[in-house]
């Protein structure tokens, strides 16, 4: 019985502390700061590509991104043959 009372007292004190902290924390907000300046627009990937010494249209850039075709790989081994299934119902 004593452990139950101690637990109940500890629980109620914790609940009280959390409630007080929540009430104080919600009312203690700072004031709004000033709005900063907007940043400059960045360059597109195409513009960076041009700046790095490449030349061509945006379509050329997109084709450059694809890269060259790789070599064909080897075919894998055939899989094991499956078991024959049960015969289904015959149609009319």
């Amino acid at each position: 019985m004593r452990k139950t009372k101690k637990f109940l007292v500890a629980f109620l004190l914790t609940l009280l502390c959390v409630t007080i902290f929540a009430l104080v924390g919600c009312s203690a907000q700072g004031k709004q700061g000033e709005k900063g300046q907007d940043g400059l627009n960045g360059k597109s990937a195409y513009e960076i590509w041009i700046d790095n010494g490449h030349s061509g249209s945006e379509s050329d850039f997109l084709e450059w991104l694809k890269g060259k075709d790789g070599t064909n790989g080897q075919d894998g081994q055939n899989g094991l043959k499956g078991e024959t299934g049960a015969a289904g119902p015959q149609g009319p």
Side-chain angles (χ1 to χ4, degrees), residues 83-90:
E83 296 180 24
T84 303
Q90 298 294 324

Side-chain angles (χ1 to χ4, degrees), residues 46-65:
Y46 170 70
E47 291 169 325
I48 293 170
W49 183 71
I50 294 293
D51 289 347
N52 284 325
H54 299 276
S55 62
S57 65
E58 289 182 15
S59 295
D60 295 331
F61 167 66
L62 294 174
E63 288 299 318
W64 177 82
L65 286 176

